[in-house]
Structures are given as structure tokens and as C-alpha cells.
């Protein structure tokens, strides 16, 4: 079987449809385009700057931001910087000079940032990595010299550190990376100075006699929004690291042995409302725990990170939401162990910001997730009270990452989560049961670059294995394997791109588990009208494939991209990865114009056009649409953006949640926004979005405002209120059975959501900070005009359903609607009252003190409040009063760790 046959195996009708869509001329055009670009592409002859650092005696430089050490006096300066913003290629308004020295253990960088008005230097004192609102210096080192990866270190004028790990030629940035290095700044009458010492054990490089590293220095003058480089990276460049200058002539340095240990201990008190007769809610819980994090340098290029019994109590909570869809919400990872170095484990199968964007082979939130099972009376677990863990405990995890001397990027992550048990109580008798099995996650990633990073080939493999030894857990997959191959080639100085990513999946488990997968919202094999799908309750395996192919121009001002994304019906990633929807093929075209040069009243201008079509694997066209959007910034640094989108009428294979496909009306979507000068101590951004359906009723309006206030050099305040109003003529309510047939019940929904996010950040020093996060959230939804779907593919909206309000009766005690469909005076089926008023408050107060480099103390206070009613109407004063009348859950936590290196 050929690769093409393995990639896509839709029905013959779909193949014919795709060929008709592409057309002979388009296929020939793509082939000629590829041939022409490969044959006639030219490499860039841009000059590459070189700097030769000076080797000095060990510890000859004291990091104090003064530069009066004798060793510095022997080191030559470089000063030929070039402006990047606002005018590319222009001379900078202020002079900048730097020096580089090295010894057997460290590399030293000194930058003198001259300023004709030192009083105007913006030197805010903030938390680590938050330097955008200050003058700052940033240096980047490509010590692998692979033209793809770089280690970045920055200092603001106020002495705040930032560090970033760049990968994929700068297109991926990992700001969670926190190496241990040293830096100081001083401000004087001629400007300011940044001085750094970076130990070799925080970099990665091979063991050889003479080194050349990629190198660049960047400076930002905040009040002018002026940005300058030592080695200019053009705005039109389709990369970053590959455009660096060079740090040449590093001799007789060896990769340092790296063993870093970070033991920690956590004391925690949890207070909440005591519940009489509930043996699990006593009002207060106390715990004391500990663990170890560490790093071991296996070679100069490879590092193993490990964690035993990790704790993430200082991590900010996820934002509140009410999800009325059948699909899982994608949340960003916030736990330090999993976000540091995460780029090496990325294998995304989607692009852009649509439904495909978050789909990937590895979604680290799967590790340590909430247990899958909750004690169910249907399984014989009758109970009055239950205590179920909120998350799965991670026994330990280790990850190997780095680059071999032959140029292979390597990533291996292995994690084990514990068997979790719940306790249930019935008539005072307690019983323990398993709610999550012992599970092992294995993630491996390999990638190799060729041709100075212009070409790469890679692969990824994931394996999830569960020890299932309880009958009530047979709905979980016993074993899940996924894998993928990615190929990328760029040419003409990376301006043109061809990218192919292929993936497969195989799931093994009990019949219950595979049935669960077949009927899940990602595929709905049970759909009665899906001629290409077959639900088999006796299956014990499920396999599928997916992929993405893109080709186009990604450098320069004028850019374009075309491609195809596919997911076969049996494709499944959700054990270790994230998949929203299988059984889809999408073709798209994107064209953009991006002008970053200052012209007239504009600093920059960008506009984009998109067009797409989506089919399922039977060849049925599900949707098509397009959008146009633009973003421009004026010379006063204010900006506006906006766009519109047209989604044509189509077919939804998920609206009836396992029922037949439903005809859906087209929509018009509009968005627009305005933002003020972000340099100012008070600034804002306002954004609005509106979606209007062709059905004449359904409409969704969202408004968001972001207010930022910096009253001094140490305090930052942001307030982000939001409000949305959603009207949906066909909101799913429930599915019932009557006379052996399914009844798909819908209603008209009126939903309002309101809330805000408040953040306060105060930094006493760059090492000691206080951070507060608070979010009240209220969402109310009222349902009316209940209906059942009778003719789902009718062209006219009113022909798709029959109203059932006249057949309803309400049981207030049980909060049930009873339906007498045949109106014979007897209830035929029922459904629960869907109206809701969901109220939630979440907050975190964190004091963070880096009392020694790499060693931290956290003091944390978290509070949560939850309230639910079913009035279905937003009444802000009443809702907010009800929320704060509830008894809060408070968590007080002290976390102490100590970093040391062997």
C-alpha cells in the first residue's frame, strides 16, 4: 500500500469530489510551482557579523553592573547596531556597545546602553519574565549552532531577569524556562549597563576544540518603542535564529557536568463549610508533603529532568466557563514541570486558530487529570456521601531532552500516575473503590535538521497504558498508541515552505471502551444516516490516521499558504493528546499582506484573506466559509483591528449528538477592536465580536475590555471585564426514547455571561513579589419554546422541528418536564429542567521570594466559591450576593525549595 493510500482512505465518492475540487490545472500548477521554486531558488548572500570573545582567568569578573574589573578592559567592544523598529535599517537614536568574555565555566556579557536622557529610562521592577514595559537588553545564544535553537537571557533596566528557550527557528518560545544565571544593572549619567554571567551548565553544546555559536544582541528603548539588533533580522524574514551573527573562536571549553537538585516541602491547610453527618466534610484538612525535582546532564547536549511527588499548589486556576457543547475545552498547561522545555514535545496537527488549531499528539494536561470515574449507583455503588480525589496523583515523571552531536533533537517523557481511590459512605458504612487506574504515559520525539535548518524530518510516538482491574472501569482504554512523522522544507532564505505531518492511532480495550470511543462526540459512529460509519459493539480495537499538508510563501510582505487537513473516522488522540473532531477533510487557502515598515501615519499594517471547505469521509460537504481581517497601528502607537467572516449554510454531524446530520443556517461574524498606546502608564484594549445567523433569531455578542494601570515602577494593575449575550434558536437539551425511536429535544436559549479578571502585581525587588488573581463569573441561561427535531435536513428552519410546549407539564419537586407526545393524558418521557445560574469566584494570592538563585519560597492563599440556581435569568445584584453569601473554600499553603548543583 502506498503512503498516499495510508494517509487518506475515504470513499470513492469523496476522492472524486476532492479531484473535482482541485482540478487538473491546480494539480499541474502545484507541481510546476514546486519544481520552479526548488530549481531556481537562491540562497541569501547577506553578510554575517562575527565577534571574537576574549578568554579570561577564572572568576576575574564580579557581576555588579559597574564594569570596572581589569578583565573587562582587555575585551574589545562591538557597537555597529541597526534599527529594527520603527524604521528597519536606520541608525539607532542611541548608541549601544557590548563585550563578551569567557573562562572555563562561564560566558560573560556586558552591554552599555547609552541614553541622552537617563531620567527617561523606563526601569520598572517586576516579577521575572515581565520586562516588556521596560527598557531592556536581550542576548540570544545558539550554542548548538543548528540555526534553529537558541537560549535567550535578558535584563531590564530595573534589574529584572527574563529567559526564553527558542526552537523551530524562533517560531516557538518557551518563557517558562528558568535557568540559574547571574545579572546586574546600573543606571548612570550616560545611560545604563547590563552585566551577565551565564554558566556553561545552563547551555547545551558539544565537546570539541573550537566552537562557533550563533549570537545576537537586542535592545529596546521603551519610550520610543525603538528596537535595535546587532545582527539585523529583517522584518520580512521567515525565521529568527538562522539570521543570527556569530560568536567565534571559543576555545578549550568543555560542557559542564550538570546535576541540579531541588528538594521541596509543602504545608497545606484547607478550610471549607462543614456538613453535618457527612464524614468527609469536617471543615478543615491539613497535610504535609514533600518531593524532589532535579536535572542531570547526561552529556553536554542531553539533560534529564525528573520530579518525584510533584506539587503545583502555586499554579493559577483555570478560567471559569459554562460549556454547553459536546466537546471538551482545551486549557493551557500551567504546571512548571510540563511547560518547561515543552517545545520539543510539540506535534501539532492543526494550524491557525480554528477548530483544528489545538489538536496535537501530546496534551500534557492528560497527566494528572481529574479521575475518569465517579461512583454510580447504576454500578452498585449506592451511597449517601462520597469523597473523590480532584486530580490524579503523579507518582513521578522524567523527561530527557536535548540534541545529539549528530544533530538529532531528542525528547523522551515518561510519567506514572497513581491508582486513585474514592471513599463512599452508606448508612455510616464506608467503602473504598478505584476511580482511576494506575497509568503510564510515554512520549518520545525525534527530529533532525539539515541544510542549515532549512530541512527537517522528525517523528513522535506516544503510549498510554492503564492497569484496569475493576469491572466498572472497563470503559477506559487499556492501551493507546499514537505516532506521527513530520517533514518540513524551506527555501529561498526560508521564504517558501512545504510542510507535511502524518499521524496514526491505535486503541485497544474492552468492548465497553471501544463502544465509548465509537459513540463519543469526536465521531458518533451510531449516526443512523452515516453510510460510511458502522458502530460495532463487539469491537476491541480502533485505528485511524490524520495529517496536515501545507505549501506556500511565509516570508516577505506578501504571503500565502494552501493546504489540506484530514482526520479519518477512527482517528483518536485523547488518551495522551487532544482531538476535537475526527471524520473530516478540510482544504484551505490563506493570503496575507504584512507591511511592518513605517509609512505615513502608520507604523505597520496587516491584512489576511482565508477560504475553506470541509467534508466528511462520505463525501458530504459539511461547511464552507471565508474571512477577511486587518490590523493596523498608527505612529502614535494606537491601533485598530477588525474583520468579518461568512460561514455558509451547511450540515452539522454533531448537533444531534449521535443522531442524524442537521441542516444549519449560515452565519455572518464580525469583530473589531481598538487599543491605546501600550507605553503609557494607563492603557486599554477594547474588543467586540458578533455572530448573526440567517435564521433571523440566533445571535451571539461578546464584549471585552482590558484596562492596565501602572501607577509606579513596582505596581501593576489590570482589570479585564467581559460580557456576552447569546441567543440560540436550536440549543440541544436532551435525547429521549419513545416507542423505540429517539427524540432529539431542543429549545430556544437566552444566555448572559458577565464577569471580570483582576490582577495585581507588586514587586518589592526583582526577587520578591506579590501577585493576586481574582475572577468572579456569572452565567445564566433560560430555555423556552421546546421542540423536537422531526426533519433535520429540511431546507426551511421551521420544517426541521415540531414544537412541544403544548405537551409539557412541569414537576417542581423533581425539577422535570414531562412530555405527553400523543396527548393521551399519560406521560411518555421526561427531561430535566435545563435552566441554570452558575456563579463562581476563584482567586489566588501568591508571595514569591527567590531567596537564593534558583531557590524559592511560596506563600499561597487560594479561595473558591461556587453557587448554582436554576432561575435562568441574569440578575447581577442578586447573583453576586448569592455567590458571596456561600461559604468559601480556602487553601493556605507554604512551599519551600532549595536549589543546589553538584
Amino acid at each position: 500500500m502506498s503512503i498516499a493510500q495510508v494517509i487518506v482512505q475515504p470513499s470513492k465518492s469523496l476522492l472524486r469530489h476532492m479531484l473535482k475540487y482541485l482540478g487538473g490545472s491546480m494539480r499541474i500548477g502545484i507541481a510546476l510551482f514546486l519544481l520552479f521554486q526548488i530549481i531556481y531558488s537562491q540562497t541569501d548572500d547577506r553578510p554575517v557579523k562575527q565577534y571574537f570573545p576574549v578568554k579570561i582567568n577564572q572568576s576575574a569578573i564580579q557581576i555588579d553592573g559597574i564594569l570596572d574589573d581589569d578583565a573587562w578592559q582587555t575585551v574589545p567592544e562591538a557597537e555597529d547596531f541597526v534599527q529594527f523598529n520603527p524604521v528597519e535599517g536606520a541608525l539607532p537614536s542611541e548608541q549601544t556597545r557590548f563585550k563578551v568574555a569567557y573562562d572555563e565555566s562561564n560566558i560573560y556579557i556586558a552591554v552599555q546602553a547609552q541614553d541622552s536622557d537617563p531620567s527617561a529610562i523606563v526601569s520598572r521592577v517586576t516579577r521575572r519574565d515581565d520586562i516588556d514595559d521596560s527598557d531592556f537588553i536581550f542576548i540570544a545564544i545558539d550554542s548548538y549552532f543548528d540555526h534553529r535553537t537558541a537560549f535567550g537571557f535578558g535584563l531590564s533596566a530595573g534589574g529584572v531577569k527574563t529567559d526564553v528557550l527558542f526552537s523551530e527557528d524562533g517560531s516557538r518560545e518557551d518563557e517558562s524556562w528558568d535557568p540559574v544565571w547571574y545579572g546586574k544593572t546600573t543606571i548612570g549619567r550616560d545611560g545604563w549597563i547590563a552585566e551577565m554571567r551565564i554558566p556553561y551548565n545552563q547551555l547545551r553544546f558539544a565537546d570539541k576544540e573550537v566552537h562557533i555559536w550563533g549570537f545576537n544582541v537586542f535592545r529596546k528603548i521603551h519610550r520610543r518603542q525603538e528596537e535595535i539588533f546587532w545582527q539585523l533580522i529583517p522584518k520580512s524574514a521567515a525565521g529568527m535564529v538562522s539570521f543570527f551573527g556569530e560568536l567565534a573562536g571559543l576555545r578549550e571549553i568543555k560542557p559542564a557536568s550538570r546535576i541540579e537538585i531541588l528538594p521541596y516541602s509543602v504545608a497545606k491547610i484547607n478550610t471549607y463549610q462543614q456538613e453535618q453527618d457527612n464524614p468527609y466534610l469536617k471543615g478543615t484538612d491539613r497535610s504535609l508533603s514533600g518531593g524532589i525535582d532535579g536535572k542531570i546532564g547526561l552529556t553536554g547536549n542531553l539533560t534529564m529532568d525528573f520530579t518525584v511527588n510533584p506539587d503545583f499548589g502555586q499554579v493559577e486556576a483555570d478560567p471559569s466557563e459554562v460549556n454547553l457543547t459536546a466537546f471538551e475545552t482545551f486549557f493551557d498547561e500551567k504546571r512548571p514541570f510540563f511547560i518547561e522545555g515543552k517545545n520539543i514535545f510539540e506535534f501539532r496537527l492543526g494550524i491557525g486558530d480554528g477548530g483544528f488549531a489545538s489538536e496535537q499528539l501530546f496534551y500534557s494536561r492528560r497527566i494528572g487529570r481529574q479521575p475518569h470515574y465517579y461512583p454510580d449507583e447504576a454500578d452498585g455503588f449506592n451511597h449517601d456521601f462520597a469523597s473523590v480525589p480532584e486530580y490524579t496523583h503523579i507518582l513521578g515523571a522524567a523527561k530527557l531532552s536535548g540534541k545529539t552531536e549528530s544533530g538529532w533533537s531528542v525528547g523522551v517523557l515518561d510519567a506514572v500516575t497513581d491508582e486513585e481511590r474514592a471513599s463512599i459512605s452508606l448508612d455510616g458504612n464506608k467503602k473504598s473503590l478505584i476511580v482511576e487506574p494506575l497509568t503510564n504515559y510515554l512520549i518520545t520525539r525525534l527530529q533532525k535538521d539539515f541544510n542549515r535548518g532549512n530541512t527537517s524530518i522528525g517523528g513522535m510516538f506516544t503510549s498510554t497504558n492503564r492497569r484496569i482491574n475493576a469491572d466498572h472501569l472497563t470503559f477506559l482504554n487499556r492501551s493507546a498508541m499514537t505516532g506521527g512523522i513530520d517533514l518540513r522544507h524551506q527555501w529561498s532564505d526560508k521564504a517558501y515552505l512545504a510542510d507535511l505531518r502524518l499521524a496514526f492511532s491505535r486503541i485497544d480495550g474492552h468492548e465497553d471502551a471501544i463502544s465509548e470511543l465509537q459513540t463519543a462526540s469526536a465521531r458518533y459512529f451510531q449516526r443512523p444516516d452515516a453510510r460510511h460509519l458502522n458502530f460495532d459493539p463487539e469491537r476491541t480495537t480502533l485505528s485511524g490516521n490524520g495529517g496536515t499538508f501545507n505549501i506556500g510563501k511565509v516570508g516577505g510582505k506578501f504571503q500565502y499558504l494552501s493546504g489540506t487537513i484530514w482526520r479519518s473516522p477512527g482517528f483518536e488522540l485523547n488518551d495522551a493528546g487532544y482531538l476535537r473532531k475526527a471524520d473530516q477533510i478540510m482544504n484551505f487557502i490563506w493570503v496575507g499582506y504584512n507591511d511592518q515598515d513605517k509609512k505615513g501615519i502608520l507604523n505597520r499594517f496587516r491584512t489576511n484573506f482565508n477560504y475553506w471547505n470541509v467534508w466528511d469521509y462520505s463525501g458530504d460537504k459539511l461547511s464552507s466559509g471565508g474571512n477577511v481581517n486587518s490590523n493596523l497601528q498608527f505612529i502614535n502607537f494606537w491601533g485598530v483591528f477588525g474583520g468579518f467572516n461568512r460561514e455558509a449554510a451547511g450540515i452539522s454531524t454533531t448537533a444531534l449528538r449521535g443522531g442524524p446530520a442537521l441542516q444549519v443556517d449560515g452565519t455572518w461574524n464580525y469583530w473589531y477592536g481598538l487599543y491605546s498606546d501600550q507605553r503609557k502608564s494607563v492603557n486599554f484594549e477594547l474588543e467586540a465580536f458578533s455572530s448573526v445567523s440567517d435564521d433571523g433569531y440566533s445571535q451571539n455578542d461578546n464584549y471585552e475590555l482590558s484596562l492596565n494601570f501602572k501607577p509606579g515602577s513596582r505596581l501593576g494593575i489590570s482589570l479585564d471585564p467581559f460580557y456576552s449575550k447569546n441567543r440560540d434558536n436550536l440549543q440541544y437539551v436532551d435525547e429521549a426514547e419513545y416507542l423505540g425511536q429517539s427524540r432529539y429535544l431542543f429549545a430556544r436559549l437566552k444566555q448572559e455571561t458577565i464577569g471580570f479578571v483582576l490582577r495585581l502585581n507588586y514587586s518589592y525587588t526583582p526577587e520578591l513579589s506579590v501577585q493576586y488573581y481574582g475572577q468572579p463569573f456569572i452565567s445564566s441561561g433560560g430555555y423556552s419554546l421546546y421542540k423536537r427535531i422531526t426533519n433535520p435536513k429540511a431546507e426551511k428552519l421551521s420544517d426541521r422541528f415540531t414544537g412541544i410546549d403544548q405537551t409539557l407539564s412541569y414537576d417542581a419537586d423533581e425539577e422535570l418536564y414531562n412530555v405527553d407526545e400523543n396527548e393521551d393524558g399519560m406521560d411518555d418521557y421526561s427531561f430535566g429542567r435545563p435552566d441554570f445560574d452558575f456563579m463562581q469566584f476563584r482567586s489566588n494570592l501568591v508571595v514569591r521570594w527567590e531567596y537564593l538563585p534558583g531557590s524559592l519560597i511560596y506563600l499561597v492563599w487560594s479561595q473558591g466559591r461556587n453557587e448554582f440556581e436554576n432561575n435562568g435569568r441574569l440578575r447581577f445584584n442578586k447573583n453576586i450576593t448569592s455567590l458571596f453569601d456561600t461559604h468559601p473554600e480556602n487553601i493556605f499553603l507554604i512551599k519551600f525549595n532549595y536549589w543546589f548543583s553538584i
Side-chain angles (χ1 to χ4, degrees), residues 325-344:
T325 74
F327 302 102
E328 174 191 16
T329 301
F330 182 91
F331 287 111
D332 291 331
E333 179 61 87
K334 299 179 181 180
R335 299 170 296 176
F337 178 81
F338 294 103
I339 57 178
E340 184 175 333
K342 67 180 180 180
N343 294 344
I344 186 63

Side-chain angles (χ1 to χ4, degrees), residues 53-241:
V54 173
K55 190 169 186 180
I56 60 175
N57 294 328
Q58 190 76 10
S59 304
I61 292 177
Q62 181 73 28
I63 302 300
D64 52 17
I66 299 177
L67 308 188
D68 59 353
D69 309 276
D70 291 339
W72 278 129
Q73 313 315 312
T74 65
V75 180
E77 291 181 339
E79 60 180 7
D80 47 341
F81 280 75
V82 182
Q83 193 175 121
F84 175 78
N85 264 329
V87 181
E88 181 180 323
L91 291 175
S93 62
E94 306 286 353
Q95 190 173 20
T96 307
R97 300 189 298 272
F98 74 87
K99 301 179 178 183
V100 182
Y102 68 102
D103 59 24
E104 293 179 357
S105 304
N106 309 275
I107 187 165
Y108 301 84
I109 300 99
V111 182
Q112 295 176 285
Q114 290 190 334
D115 201 303
S116 56
D117 185 6
S119 64
I121 296 171
V122 181
S123 58
R124 291 182 53 78
V125 179
T126 58
R127 189 170 173 173
R128 185 170 185 158
D129 293 328
D130 184 17
I131 66 170
D132 287 343
D133 291 330
S134 299
D135 282 50
F136 67 86
I137 295 294
F138 192 86
I139 67 104
I141 300 173
D142 174 14
S143 53
Y144 287 127
F145 202 50
D146 63 356
H147 310 284
R148 300 277 294 166
T149 312
F151 303 90
F153 306 85
L155 279 173
S156 74
V160 180
K161 292 179 182 177
T162 189
D163 16 58
V164 182
L165 181 59
F166 297 99
S167 60
E168 296 189 25
D169 202 7
S171 64
R172 295 271 188 259
E173 298 181 7
D174 181 4
E175 295 183 356
S176 65
W177 179 59
D178 285 331
V180 178
W181 58 285
Y182 307 87
K184 291 292 183 180
T185 61
T186 56
I187 299 177
R189 61 184 181 183
D190 296 324
W192 65 285
I193 294 172
E195 189 176 22
M196 306 177 186
R197 174 169 71 86
I198 302 167
Y200 294 145
N201 61 16
Q202 303 301 304
L203 301 173
R204 307 290 180 266
F205 55 91
D207 186 0
K208 54 186 179 181
E209 188 67 25
V210 181
H211 292 264
I212 297 178
W213 292 349
F215 183 74
N216 213 348
V217 181
F218 172 88
R219 178 187 178 186
K220 180 179 180 180
I221 304 173
H222 184 70
R223 68 184 183 275
R224 300 190 183 111
Q225 290 294 288
E226 182 178 342
E227 298 169 333
I228 64 174
F229 280 108
W230 173 59
Q231 175 77 62
L232 179 64
I233 300 175
K235 295 179 181 179
S236 60
M240 185 189 79
V241 182

Side-chain angles (χ1 to χ4, degrees), residues 400-455:
L400 174 70
S401 61
K403 206 153 195 170
T404 68
E405 291 189 20
S406 58
W408 283 96
S409 296
V410 178
V412 180
L413 186 150
D414 191 84
V416 178
T417 58
D418 201 3
E419 178 182 272
E420 294 295 336
R421 288 182 168 269
S423 178
I424 59 176
S425 175
L426 179 64
D427 298 329
N429 298 314
K430 292 183 179 180
K431 180 180 179 180
S432 174
L433 69 149
I434 303 172
V435 291
E436 184 73 19
L438 182 74
T439 305
N440 176 255
Y441 299 87
L442 174 64
I443 316 297
T444 61
R445 182 76 160 107
L446 287 172
Q447 194 171 40
K448 184 172 176 59
D449 301 322
F450 305 90
N451 188 23
R452 291 180 60 89
N454 287 306
T455 305

Side-chain angles (χ1 to χ4, degrees), residues 9 30 70 88 91 110 168 229 260 331 347 413 514 527 532 537 567 569 579 592 700 730 743 766 818:
Q9 300 180 35
I30 290 176
D70 291 339
E88 181 180 323
L91 291 175
E168 296 189 25
F229 280 108
E260 301 175 26
F331 287 111
F347 194 109
L413 186 150
I514 305 306
R527 280 176 43 215
H532 64 298
R567 312 281 185 263
L579 176 73
N700 185 6
L730 286 178
R743 293 292 187 259
N818 297 307

